[in-house]
Amino acid sequence: MLGVIGWELLAPHHTELVPLIAAAPAIACASSGRRRCILLLGGASLLFALAPPTELEPDGDPKEPYAPLASCCAIVGVAVGGYLMAGRKVRLVRELEQLRAVAAAAQDVVLRPLPARLEGIELAGGHLSASRGAAVGGDLYEALATPYGVRVIMGDVRGHGLAAIGTVAAVLGCFREAAHEEPRLAGVLRRLDRALERHLRARASEECPLERRVDEEFVTVLLLEVGPDGEVTALNCGHPWPYRLYEQPVGPAMARQAAPGEVLPPLGLFPLPAELPIARWNSLGAGDTLVLHTDGAEDARDAHGTFFPLRRALSEAAGPGPLVPAAVVAGVRAALLRHTGGRLSDDVALLALRYDRCPLSAPKALTRAAADAHRA
């Protein structure tokens, strides 16, 4: 408004720039959307449009005696239209906030936040979706404390984004039930295979041309079981093996990818064999950290086509000193976003587990004299 008024006062005679003041309430409607701001700007625009001629323009244009009236009508029309549009905008924003709250609650149910600690294991997880505005995509992870130890799943559904959420929900729902009921990790994997088969069969009966073919659907799965003594049991169906971080007295931690056993095909492509190759690792010591990830972290590229250096990013994120899972996940996510410029071609999931349970020492047998003295 000040710019238009200054232009009007300093411009040559016979120039009508006052109608441009009507842009002020329109801009207020497009930017802030507050009705009070639109009314104030509309009223101020009317006052400036009805202001008497100044010394720089002592006489009005006799050929256009109704120019001020036309300017006022234009300002009133824009202000009224902006006022009505602002009300509609406020209603739409409220509806959008409600939908976002519902979507966030639904996404938290599918991919629940991990607890900070679980049976002597410190946990931290993170997820990046390739679909803008979505917190859940085609990657999945979960960690549960069961009577058989802490059981962890990390998986990746074929594809990414919103189209894979249905399969993610089916696999996670089955794991959360089977992990508590099956005494062996092989039984959990067979339950997951049957659940995925039922889910794909149900999807095949629905005619949905927007979704990809069901016969091309598969899920890579990595199952881990960490016992009370730190012993790790694993089953792998086409998923990348995790990295193991070792604390160093000087400098950043050392990252080394574990490859302890045979890898089965992804679930959904072929039936599971009768004998499942269960991998058994060396027991974790206090401070040992495992980082599970999906292939989206290793396959991410920058603008020049360079792959993301996951191992180096893990070492730099861990840093010197004691390992903190939340810091490792946050550091890798930040490095990944910097490397790709925020443009992800696939979903990324990270899960860090730090085993810090100290083994209890065996009780020492007391001699008879020491026992009598203790009772005394």
Side-chain angles (χ1 to χ4, degrees):
M1 289 178 62
L2 294 178
V4 172
I5 294 168
W7 194 1
E8 175 74 18
L9 295 177
L10 300 177
H13 296 292
H14 308 296
T15 57
E16 288 293 336
L17 302 177
V18 175
L20 294 179
I21 301 180
I27 294 175
C29 174
S31 58
S32 65
R34 297 180 180 179
R35 290 185 169 185
R36 183 179 300 176
C37 182
I38 296 173
L39 292 179
L40 291 177
L41 287 177
S45 300
L46 286 176
L47 292 178
F48 283 117
L50 294 175
T54 62
E55 296 180 357
L56 297 177
E57 284 190 320
D59 299 325
D61 191 355
K63 297 181 180 180
E64 297 182 1
Y66 300 104
L69 180 60
S71 300
C72 294
C73 292
I75 293 172
V76 171
V78 172
V80 172
Y83 184 85
L84 297 177
M85 289 297 296
R88 178 178 175 82
K89 181 180 178 181
V90 170
R91 291 193 298 270
L92 292 177
V93 168
R94 290 176 180 174
E95 293 179 2
L96 180 60
E97 291 176 352
Q98 293 177 355
L99 292 177
R100 284 181 174 177
V102 173
Q107 292 174 146
D108 288 341
V109 171
V110 175
L111 199 62
R112 297 183 303 195
L114 295 175
R117 291 185 60 83
L118 202 64
E119 296 293 333
I121 297 178
E122 187 177 355
L123 301 172
H127 184 273
L128 292 173
S129 177
S131 297
R132 185 176 181 180
V136 179
D139 294 349
L140 57 99
Y141 59 83
E142 181 64 286
L144 300 173
T146 69
Y148 317 103
V150 176
R151 288 179 169 176
V152 181
I153 183 174
M154 173 67 74
D156 187 359
V157 178
R158 178 184 179 270
H160 60 270
L162 301 177
I165 293 181
T167 306
V168 170
V171 174
L172 281 180
C174 177
F175 173 77
R176 289 164 180 163
E177 180 180 359
H180 293 278
E181 296 179 354
E182 295 293 335
R184 299 183 180 276
L185 204 60
V188 178
L189 185 62
R190 295 191 185 278
R191 290 272 294 270
L192 293 177
D193 185 57
R194 293 194 296 267
L196 179 61
E197 182 181 359
R198 291 192 299 267
H199 172 71
L200 297 181
R201 191 183 304 116
R203 279 186 49 188
S205 62
E206 302 175 358
E207 296 181 0
C208 185
L210 297 180
E211 296 184 356
R212 55 184 176 271
R213 296 178 55 183
V214 175
D215 54 0
E216 299 176 353
E217 187 85 33
F218 61 86
V219 182
T220 65
V221 171
L222 175 63
L223 292 179
L224 293 182
E225 179 180 298
V226 183
D229 56 351
E231 183 182 1
V232 180
T233 306
L235 276 172
N236 194 337
C237 293
H239 200 83
W241 288 107
Y243 281 86
R244 189 166 181 173
L245 300 180
Y246 300 90
E247 297 180 0
Q248 300 293 325
V250 179
M254 181 178 61
R256 182 179 299 172
Q257 190 170 20
E262 182 181 350
V263 178
L264 295 171
L267 295 181
L269 293 180
F270 305 100
L272 291 176
E275 295 292 333
L276 298 179
I278 299 179
R280 300 186 184 276
W281 304 357
N282 296 331
S283 299
L284 298 176
D288 289 348
T289 301
L290 294 176
V291 179
L292 287 69
H293 65 282
T294 55
D295 57 0
E298 295 179 326
D299 297 341
R301 303 189 186 190
D302 59 5
H304 304 287
T306 305
F307 288 99
F308 177 66
L310 180 58
R311 179 181 299 180
R312 186 179 65 189
L314 286 171
S315 299
E316 294 176 354
L323 295 172
V324 180
V328 173
V329 172
V332 174
R333 288 182 58 181
L336 182 61
L337 291 176
R338 287 195 304 268
H339 182 80
T340 60
R343 297 181 298 271
L344 297 175
S345 59
D346 195 4
D347 302 322
V348 177
L350 298 169
L351 178 59
L353 304 91
R354 183 178 187 271
Y355 184 83
D356 56 1
R357 174 183 293 177
C358 299
L360 298 178
S361 59
K364 297 181 179 179
L366 296 176
T367 62
R368 184 176 184 84
D372 295 338
H374 180 71
R375 284 195 298 268

